[in-house]
Amino acid sequence: MAAYQTLNPYTGRALRTVELMGTAAIEQRLAAAEAVFPVWSGLALEHRAALLRKVAEGLRRWRDELQQTMTREMGKLRGEALAEIEKSASVCEYYAEHAAGYLQPQPIPTEAQRSYVSYQPIGCVLAVMPWNFPVWQVFRFLAPALMAGNVALLKHASNVPGCADLIATVLAEAGVPAGVFDVLHIDNEQAAGVLRDPRIKAVTLTGSERAGRAIAANAGDQLKKCVMELGGSDAFVVLEDADLDVAVAAAVKSRFDNAGQTCIAAKRFILVEAVAEDFVRRFVEAAKARVYGDPQDAATTLAPLARADLRDELQRQVRQSIDKGAKVLLGGEPLAGTHAGYPATILDHVGPGMPAYTQELFGPVAAILRVKDEAEAVRVANDTVFGLGGSVWTGDAARGEKVALQLRCGATFVNSVVRSDARLPFGGTRRSGFGRELGAHGIHEFVNIKTVYVA
């Protein structure tokens, strides 16, 4: 039977060999999901909410083992992993509290005796999830999906199988019925076959543009609903009246947390010329303080990349940008003697035609783009194929809001880093995907929005 091996990205040592599931194992999980769906969807919302609260308790109870597994498998800093686990527990509690309101039938006055919209579950949702937030990404889709009455199968990234298995353990221990959630250790070809199975009613993906194209095409061919949360190259626009102390601190956090492996990380720092020199000087000094090391060590503030091939691809993008005229202010070369280490890197004078301008840099590399004024900042911010998030930094909140509304992306934050929040819809436009997660919009993605008209 085919298998794959996982490696610790800090040490390069082998962690685990995982055998891909065979046809019989996949069929067993599909059949279990199909059989339990009417049972799960038939439970009272209060019952599902009670179980989801137990899942939150379980996440906190398993926090140490989950943290250690995340750190071993994809290199996440210990503190960042613990924060991710708490956020995942919180999203379970959020939907346990608010799902009833989001799913309540919506009356619509017509000439009928009664007319309303009902939100009904659709069945089994296939989730294809990434490695960069191996717990949060799962619960971001799972909490609303389960509260809506759906069931789910998870195809997780191949380098975080232990995270996937621990999530399944937490749900089972909480009393979630067998079959409501399960893990598929399968490859991409097998996942494509699962998606074609009629028992799968929809698919959600967080991942690369390439993966999104493949899965969305497959879903479209099967006429199945899909939500695509893909890559991003978020703009971080700094206007001349910004508080640079605040903006620089936010810039360092947004670009270098999680080793820069975040779809909504600030990647393109668009600076008006009046503050560009001052911002860059402060930014370089602050970024120098990021210390690479063992992600389990509390003193480490810069983690390794999740895999050596990701580091190599990042270096190719950096090198090609330098060859086209970008100037290295900090870093710029892989860390010698490490398996997947890459330093905090800042490239200045980035412009059109460079990978740092046109592509997503999924690692700790910041691209500085200098512009004349606000109008040019907006134009440059929108000069991208992506449209996930963006931020605007200014001393005038009304001005910031005006600029925010001009940025073509799924979310714009004024004087705050872009982040996901259970209360707010999350997702992008253009090549960053479509559909929304979180908030009321997220729970409504995988329901039948059904009109009921009683004459």
Side-chain angles (χ1 to χ4, degrees):
M1 185 175 291
Y4 60 87
Q5 190 176 63
T6 61
L7 301 177
N8 181 315
Y10 179 64
T11 65
R13 299 192 189 104
L15 289 173
R16 175 181 174 186
T17 298
V18 181
E19 288 190 353
L20 296 177
M21 288 179 171
T23 303
I26 296 171
E27 169 59 28
Q28 184 272 326
R29 284 157 178 79
L30 283 164
E34 177 83 352
V36 79
F37 169 62
V39 178
W40 179 252
S41 60
L43 289 178
L45 264 170
E46 310 87 77
H47 192 164
R48 294 201 294 269
L51 288 171
L52 210 58
R53 290 189 177 96
K54 289 183 179 178
V55 170
E57 293 171 3
L59 284 168
R60 295 182 177 114
R61 189 162 51 250
W62 283 82
R63 66 193 291 270
D64 291 337
E65 187 158 355
L66 275 166
Q67 175 270 307
Q68 292 164 16
T69 303
M70 294 164 75
T71 299
R72 284 195 302 267
E73 290 188 330
M74 58 78 51
K76 192 179 293 286
L77 298 182
R78 181 177 184 275
E80 292 178 349
L82 292 172
E84 180 176 335
I85 294 161
E86 178 56 33
K87 187 173 183 178
S88 301
S90 295
V91 80
C92 291
E93 293 169 334
Y94 178 83
Y95 277 103
E97 180 178 352
H98 295 281
Y102 292 153
L103 298 171
Q104 185 175 5
Q106 179 187 356
I108 299 179
T110 67
E111 67 278 6
Q113 175 183 329
R114 187 172 182 224
S115 51
Y116 59 96
V117 174
S118 177
Y119 302 104
Q120 298 181 325
I122 58 174
C124 186
V125 179
L126 173 65
V128 181
M129 292 289 110
W131 46 262
N132 58 331
F133 290 90
V135 176
W136 166 247
Q137 300 279 17
V138 174
F139 281 95
R140 195 170 74 188
F141 101 85
L142 188 61
L146 294 189
M147 280 306 302
N150 297 307
V151 298
L153 289 172
L154 169 66
K155 189 273 183 205
H156 217 328
S158 60
N159 57 333
V160 289
C163 293
D165 290 341
L166 279 172
I167 290 169
T169 296
V170 169
L171 267 74
E173 187 184 79
V176 175
V180 170
F181 171 81
D182 216 331
V183 173
L184 300 175
H185 291 299
I186 57 178
D187 62 19
N188 292 338
E189 184 178 347
Q190 290 174 301
V194 171
L195 178 52
R196 289 191 292 269
D197 191 288
R199 289 167 291 190
I200 297 294
K201 306 305 181 186
V203 61
T204 180
L205 165 84
T206 298
S208 68
E209 181 185 339
R210 177 189 56 79
R213 287 179 183 275
I215 290 178
N218 191 356
D221 184 63
Q222 302 298 313
L223 296 178
K224 293 180 180 180
K225 176 68 180 290
C226 60
V227 169
M228 298 285 114
E229 198 273 276
L230 309 179
S233 188
D234 286 9
F236 187 103
V237 177
V238 183
L239 302 178
E240 70 278 359
D241 58 353
D243 182 329
L244 292 191
D245 289 336
V246 173
V248 168
V252 172
K253 177 175 178 57
S254 183
R255 178 65 288 210
F256 301 119
D257 277 7
N258 208 38
Q261 302 168 121
T262 306
C263 55
I264 52 171
K267 298 185 175 82
R268 296 176 300 136
F269 295 83
I270 301 170
L271 316 175
V272 299
E273 61 183 13
V275 295
E277 287 296 336
D278 197 7
F279 180 94
V280 168
R281 177 181 56 79
R282 298 185 192 204
F283 190 31
V284 170
E285 287 304 310
K288 286 179 180 177
R290 288 279 165 150
V291 178
Y292 179 82
D294 184 346
Q296 196 70 267
D297 187 338
T300 299
T301 53
L302 183 67
L305 296 187
R307 302 193 311 264
D309 63 299
L310 298 171
R311 178 205 57 196
D312 295 343
E313 170 61 15
L314 183 66
Q315 178 58 22
R316 180 194 65 78
Q317 293 172 302
V318 168
R319 177 50 52 193
Q320 289 182 0
S321 297
I322 294 169
D323 290 344
K324 290 178 180 291
K327 305 301 180 185
V328 181
L329 301 183
L330 184 68
E333 293 288 343
L335 291 169
T338 67
H339 177 70
Y342 203 89
T345 295
I346 299 175
L347 301 179
D348 199 0
H349 299 290
V350 170
M354 301 178 189
Y357 187 97
T358 61
Q359 300 173 14
E360 178 178 27
L361 301 183
F362 213 63
V365 179
I368 303 294
L369 289 68
R370 297 172 182 247
V371 296
K372 180 180 179 181
D373 53 23
E374 177 187 308
E376 188 180 0
V378 171
R379 181 188 65 77
V380 170
N382 287 330
D383 187 22
T384 176
V385 298
F386 300 105
L388 193 53
S391 61
V392 181
W393 300 83
T394 171
D396 183 339
R399 181 189 187 190
E401 187 173 353
K402 178 184 174 184
V403 173
L405 289 169
Q406 296 176 66
L407 301 189
R408 295 197 294 270
C409 53
T412 310
F413 284 52
V414 178
N415 294 329
S416 180
V417 296
V418 180
R419 62 188 182 277
S420 56
D421 184 313
R423 299 165 293 184
L424 301 171
F426 180 89
T429 63
R430 296 185 283 173
R431 292 190 186 178
S432 289
F434 49 82
R436 293 295 180 267
E437 297 178 295
L438 302 177
H441 299 78
I443 201 169
H444 289 158
E445 286 286 1
F446 295 123
V447 294
N448 176 19
I449 301 174
K450 182 175 183 177
T451 295
V452 180
Y453 183 100
V454 182

